[in-house]
Amino acid sequence: MKLKDKVAVVTGGAMGNGLGIAKVFLREGATVAILDYSDRLGETINELGSLGNVCGFHVDIRDVKKVNDCMKAINDKYGHIDIVVNNAGVAKLETFMDMTDEVRDFHFDINIKGTWNVTKAAVPYMNGGSIVNLSSVTGPMVADSGEVAYATTKAALIGFTKGLAAELVEKNIRVNAIMPGYIMTPMVEGIAKDTDSENPQSVVDGIASGIPMKRLGTIEELGELAAFLASDEASYITGQGIVIDGGSTLPETMSVGV
Ligand SMILES: NC(=O)c1ccc[n+]([C@@H]2O[C@H](COP(=O)([O-])OP(=O)(O)OC[C@H]3O[C@@H](n4cnc5c(N)ncnc54)[C@H](O)[C@@H]3O)[C@@H](O)[C@H]2O)c1
């Protein structure tokens, strides 16, 4: 129970990686407050209720006032906030020259400013603890065509993580980032459908074949890393981006080797 008695805020926990994080956090003894704008939130909270103490706030992280109100409500209810996982994020593949400013801002407003809003609202209620930001290998390390906006935001979150880690060390708050490769989530299902609406599974299979472990990661595997970074087991780690990608960024070439 590495998160026993900890109060954790997880954004985007109605599905995908955030759901995996919430599940592992509950198993590890944390109280979890999920912020999400999806209609699936209620169903998810019902499902997770059997695992532990969990509550949900239907909120768009772009809405500063509502985000501030949420953090106050969480603090009023539980007395403190120990962990923030900035997981909510969006990805829409479009080439740079075709992308409208609206689509660019959709990424910037949620992935960067939303993370900023949630963090700024939560820190005053934290007395020590841990912040975990969902970056990606996309942006800081690699990219494919169509990912300029998304990659820009995920690289920005590494800068955000390091800058904040340097400042919050004084408050005994550690700040780290997770850099996933492909994890099987509704986001990836959506990308697969957009790429080949007739046969999205072929897109997922194609992704898997290019990964040394020959599969996508699971939301639970992602949740385990988040729990480690959020816990006291990671007490000397701050300002870092940790890659979890089944080896996808590992190959030096595709043509040399025995
Ligand atoms: N799945 C992957 O392969 C992968 C890889 C690298 C990084 N990531 C990152 O992991 C995070 C989660 O991704 P996922 O694949 O689970 O996505 P997902 O689309 O499957 O789930 C995202 C969740 O965030 C919520 N959300 C999105 N925008 C929101 C907003 N403005 N306010 C409140 N809630 C909002 C959605 O409703 C949803 O529940 C993202 O930051 C993503 O960039 C995912």
Side-chain angles (χ1 to χ4, degrees):
M1 297 279 261
K2 56 174 154 260
L3 301 178
K4 195 168 178 312
D5 299 329
K6 305 282 188 201
V7 176
V9 173
V10 179
T11 67
M15 65 188 93
N17 287 334
L19 175 59
I21 293 164
K23 279 185 181 168
V24 176
F25 277 28
L26 289 167
R27 188 200 70 206
E28 293 297 332
T31 293
V32 177
I34 295 177
L35 274 57
D36 204 300
Y37 67 5
S38 165
D39 291 340
R40 280 209 223 168
L41 178 62
E43 207 179 300
T44 301
I45 297 295
N46 284 342
E47 223 179 274
L48 292 175
S50 61
L51 300 179
N53 197 5
V54 59
C55 66
F57 293 83
H58 196 263
V59 60
D60 187 327
I61 60 168
R62 288 171 289 191
D63 187 334
V64 177
K65 183 177 177 327
K66 283 211 176 130
V67 166
N68 286 338
D69 290 349
C70 271
M71 293 307 158
K72 186 179 178 314
I74 293 164
N75 187 65
D76 287 350
K77 192 167 173 167
Y78 302 116
H80 54 112
I81 295 173
D82 304 296
I83 298 162
V84 176
V85 184
N86 284 305
N87 164 79
V90 290
K92 198 166 172 354
L93 302 196
E94 267 172 38
T95 59
F96 178 67
M97 292 307 287
D98 286 337
M99 187 178 290
T100 61
D101 290 355
E102 285 71 30
V103 174
R104 177 199 63 197
D105 290 345
F106 176 63
H107 290 85
F108 288 14
D109 289 347
I110 295 177
N111 296 1
I112 302 176
K113 291 192 203 168
T115 295
W116 186 290
N117 297 339
V118 170
T119 308
K120 201 158 194 177
V123 166
Y125 299 112
M126 297 176 76
N127 181 17
S130 171
I131 297 171
V132 180
N133 300 316
L134 264 289
S135 173
S136 177
V137 294
T138 307
M141 296 178 74
V142 295
D144 284 326
S145 169
E147 294 180 337
V148 178
Y150 180 73
T152 301
T153 63
K154 293 292 154 176
L157 289 182
I158 295 297
F160 179 74
T161 298
K162 290 187 183 289
L164 201 62
E167 283 189 19
L168 295 186
V169 76
E170 269 197 357
K171 276 180 69 98
N172 201 23
I173 299 173
R174 296 178 300 100
V175 189
N176 291 291
I178 295 180
M179 300 163 70
Y182 274 98
I183 310 292
M184 196 60 221
T185 67
M187 178 189 275
V188 172
E189 282 166 22
I191 289 171
K193 267 187 214 138
D194 288 348
T195 307
D196 185 347
S197 57
E198 305 270 292
N199 191 0
Q201 188 56 44
S202 71
V203 178
V204 175
D205 292 345
I207 294 169
S209 71
I211 299 171
M213 287 192 190
K214 302 294 174 208
R215 66 176 179 86
L216 281 70
T218 68
I219 59 170
E220 288 80 10
E221 288 172 317
L222 192 291
E224 299 289 352
L225 175 56
F228 167 69
L229 288 174
S231 78
D232 294 341
E233 288 178 3
S235 54
Y236 203 50
I237 303 176
T238 196
Q240 300 306 304
I242 311 293
V243 173
I244 172 168
D245 72 346
S248 70
T249 54
L250 176 66
E252 186 171 355
T253 75
M254 299 301 277
S255 52
V256 176
V258 288

